[in-house]
Amino acid sequence: MPCLLLLVLVAFPRVVLVLMYLLSDYLQRAYTGLLLPLLGFIFLPLTTIVYAWMVNSHRAPMDTTNLVILVIAVVIDLSGLGGGEYHRRRRY
């Protein structure tokens, strides 16, 4: 079951963010305003979820291991953006 949740999280991070915002106070405990979660929804949804998880589980986001996890989340988010551009350029 946890593997299935992880796959849904990676495949549909924006849907998970909206559900987290509407059905729990998980994002409100991690972020004080609405601006950062909104920007995270648009640009880096997986990173927003990972950071909220770290704050809610009382982990230090700037710890070495946690920083590596955050960097991996950023790379996954940015690879989704860059992959589409790569394929678009290749068509023409």
Side-chain angles (χ1 to χ4, degrees):
M1 186 69 172
C3 290
L4 180 63
L5 290 175
L6 183 64
L7 285 174
V8 169
L9 175 73
V10 173
F12 307 106
R14 287 181 176 90
V15 173
V16 171
L17 265 175
V18 168
L19 290 176
M20 284 172 63
Y21 184 77
L22 294 175
L23 301 176
S24 73
D25 63 344
Y26 206 74
L27 291 175
Q28 287 83 359
R29 285 184 279 158
Y31 301 103
T32 55
L34 184 64
L35 182 64
L36 282 176
L38 184 63
L39 289 173
F41 177 82
I42 295 169
F43 297 110
L44 300 171
L46 187 61
T47 306
T48 305
I49 294 170
V50 169
Y51 182 79
W53 167 72
M54 285 182 185
V55 169
N56 282 301
S57 63
H58 304 293
R59 298 174 182 260
M62 292 302 141
D63 230 15
T64 306
T65 306
N66 296 334
L67 191 59
V68 168
I69 293 170
L70 273 174
V71 168
I72 290 171
V74 169
V75 167
I76 291 171
D77 279 334
L78 293 179
S79 68
L81 295 173
E85 178 65 22
Y86 173 76
H87 289 294
R88 184 188 67 80
R89 285 187 182 185
R90 223 169 148 199
R91 270 192 300 187
Y92 299 112

